[in-house]
Amino acid sequence: MRSVSDPVESVHTVAHDPSYSTRVKTSNVIKLLLIGDASVGKSSLIISYCDDIFLENSTKTTVGVDLKVKVVNVDGSFFKTVIWDTAGQERYRNVIPSLYKGTNGVMLTYDVTDPKSFLGLYHWIQECYENCDTSRTVFYLVGNKLDQENKAVCKDDVKKLLTFVKEKYPGFKINAAFEVSAKYSSLVYGLFDTVIKDLVENRCYFDEQRLRNKRSIDLSTTRDDLTRKNSCCSY
């Protein structure tokens, strides 16, 4: 486990420019999903990365799901990163499983000052394992609110969780564990940039245009086949 402020050995670089979203067209898409209990700061992390804003005293709760899109440049190639924000409250959890389809990366988020939110990861990991294609999805642990003094989740807790996952959920890839604070944009940018670089390096993204063309071809083929089958019996 490390903070993203630690040196990261990577040959990849990520560049940001607000104008990318309006002037750059790309069909490379990364679908990134943040899940975790309520009030761990998922929305704050996303807003900090996409809008470069930290809402100090915000008490707004995500209702259902929300998303933000940010286009980034990774070594000269552009990627549209679609970041999904999910509600952690029990009453909204039934809508989350449908989001796992086609997800490239999942950030399992908890509050480093709240042990209960960390224990909640055991539920979220099981849900991911049951709904994700683990051969195509990479997972990351993200402890938020590192700026708070009353830290209650330690490295041993994280190691115990990683060991549990390795033994119980074969094929479930947790590539890294981070501790950050949405209050500090440098840590937030380091977190998301590192995750995006890792996904690109592992080719965990998709070509939106190619996928759209494939669906179009499939639908066309199905329609033609249906016509051929029914033509001899139609009046």
Side-chain angles (χ1 to χ4, degrees), residues 7 11 20 39 42 44 50 61 68-69 120 134 140 148 150 157 169 175 191 194 211-213 216 219 232:
V11 297
Y20 288 162
S39 302
K42 299 184 294 293
S44 295
C50 294
T61 300
K68 281 188 173 291
V69 177
T134 55
Y140 307 88
Q148 302 292 321
N150 54 331
D157 296 321
Y169 302 110
N175 271 22
L191 166 66
T194 301
L211 185 62
R212 188 180 295 117
N213 291 341
S216 177
L219 287 172
C232 63

Side-chain angles (χ1 to χ4, degrees), residues 159-174:
K159 289 179 180 177
K160 181 180 178 181
L161 175 62
L162 294 175
T163 300
F164 172 82
V165 170
K166 186 177 181 180
E167 293 175 350
K168 183 163 184 177
Y169 302 110
F172 196 98
K173 302 184 292 289
I174 297 183

Side-chain angles (χ1 to χ4, degrees), residues 11-28:
V11 297
H12 300 290
T13 57
V14 178
H16 314 87
D17 188 323
S19 68
Y20 288 162
S21 296
T22 56
R23 67 180 177 85
V24 173
K25 291 185 178 180
T26 178
S27 62
N28 293 325

Side-chain angles (χ1 to χ4, degrees), residues 38-45 47-48 53-62 85 144-145 182:
S39 302
V40 298
K42 299 184 294 293
S43 300
S44 295
L45 289 169
I47 292 172
S48 178
I53 296 172
F54 175 66
L55 305 176
E56 181 79 44
N57 298 312
S58 175
T59 57
K60 183 180 178 181
T61 300
T62 301
D85 184 10
N144 189 28
K145 305 188 183 182

